[in-house]
Amino acid sequence: TQFGGGKTHSLALLYHLATSGDAAKSFMGVQSILQAGGVSEIPKANVGIFVGTRFDVLTGRGGDDGTPQRRTPWGELAWQLGGGASFDVVREHDAQGIAPAGDVIRKMIPNDKPALLLIDEVMNYISPERKTKYAGEMYNFLMKLSEEITGMDRVVAVVSIPASELEMGADDEADYTRLKKMLDRKGKPVIMSAEIGRAHV
């Protein structure tokens, strides 16, 4: 979404619902959400969050705080979803900057409870990534992830991309268009604020 479109608030709501479970029923407004969705229970979920403005393309996260260094979005998501066991599944993919696929993605997502992957500010990561030897791998990961979780139970990925092409260069526009087409084909676009935002589930 553009600024003020409600994207971050929507993702924050999903995070608190997924990490609070049934305790979230007491939160203001949640009962009306459950009614509208025809849902009676809120299961706790493993949650992984990736924010493109907060994850450096070259240095990633960790490595100096007692946690392993995660150089890629898939390494970061695996670490958040299942700690060391999940990260070990994609450790080599993370080290080489190659997006995992198939059974590797399945194994990096623990199946002990539902899983929610919140992926935000994708274009802010793809733009600098384009200047590295890993160009295109974020797109490849999102494509492979969306294909794989289609056949998985209790796994949802929410990917937010801007609905406006303002202030994008030609390369950004090309990547945005390609990403949007892929996500529209694989998921369900949800407009979170009329005419200014969309997320894909």
Side-chain angles (χ1 to χ4, degrees):
T1 72
Q2 295 173 328
F3 289 115
K7 167 176 59 68
T8 300
H9 287 89
S10 299
L11 297 179
L13 168 65
L14 292 174
Y15 170 82
H16 288 294
L17 289 174
T19 57
S20 300
D22 269 346
K25 289 180 177 179
S26 65
F27 298 169
M28 185 186 308
V30 168
Q31 286 300 326
S32 61
I33 293 172
L34 296 179
Q35 264 188 337
V39 176
S40 60
E41 303 298 322
I42 307 175
K44 277 194 176 183
N46 293 315
V47 180
I49 303 167
F50 177 82
V51 182
T53 54
R54 306 280 300 171
F55 195 90
D56 187 81
V57 171
L58 297 179
T59 61
R61 298 186 82 178
D64 57 359
D65 59 358
T67 66
Q69 185 174 18
R70 286 93 66 198
R71 296 182 176 274
T72 64
W74 42 97
E76 177 68 3
L77 287 167
W79 174 256
Q80 291 185 35
L81 288 167
S86 289
F87 181 70
D88 283 344
V89 173
V90 295
R91 186 181 294 272
E92 193 60 27
H93 292 80
D94 185 77
Q96 295 193 31
I98 298 171
D103 287 344
V104 177
I105 288 176
R106 285 180 176 263
K107 289 175 184 174
M108 84 174 218
I109 302 174
N111 60 10
D112 60 324
K113 60 176 76 168
L116 174 64
L117 291 79
L118 301 174
I119 303 171
D120 194 13
E121 305 289 1
V122 174
M123 288 305 302
N124 289 88
Y125 182 82
I126 286 178
S127 187
E129 180 203 42
R130 193 184 306 120
K131 301 174 179 71
T132 73
K133 63 181 180 180
Y134 307 119
E137 285 303 308
M138 180 60 166
Y139 174 88
N140 290 339
F141 172 63
L142 291 174
M143 180 175 64
K144 293 170 181 177
L145 176 70
S146 61
E147 287 175 351
E148 200 58 36
I149 66 173
T150 298
M152 297 176 70
D153 292 329
R154 307 186 310 161
V155 179
V156 173
V158 179
V159 182
S160 72
I161 60 173
S164 170
E165 296 180 24
L166 294 175
E167 299 182 12
M168 285 190 192
D171 289 339
D172 286 333
E173 287 188 25
D175 282 338
Y176 166 77
T177 300
R178 188 168 69 124
L179 182 65
K180 180 181 175 300
K181 283 181 179 177
M182 182 269 289
L183 292 171
D184 281 348
R185 190 172 67 249
K186 298 292 181 183
K188 176 184 177 182
V190 177
I191 305 299
M192 292 190 292
S193 185
E195 297 184 2
I196 60 173
R198 81 170 57 210
H200 292 75
V201 180

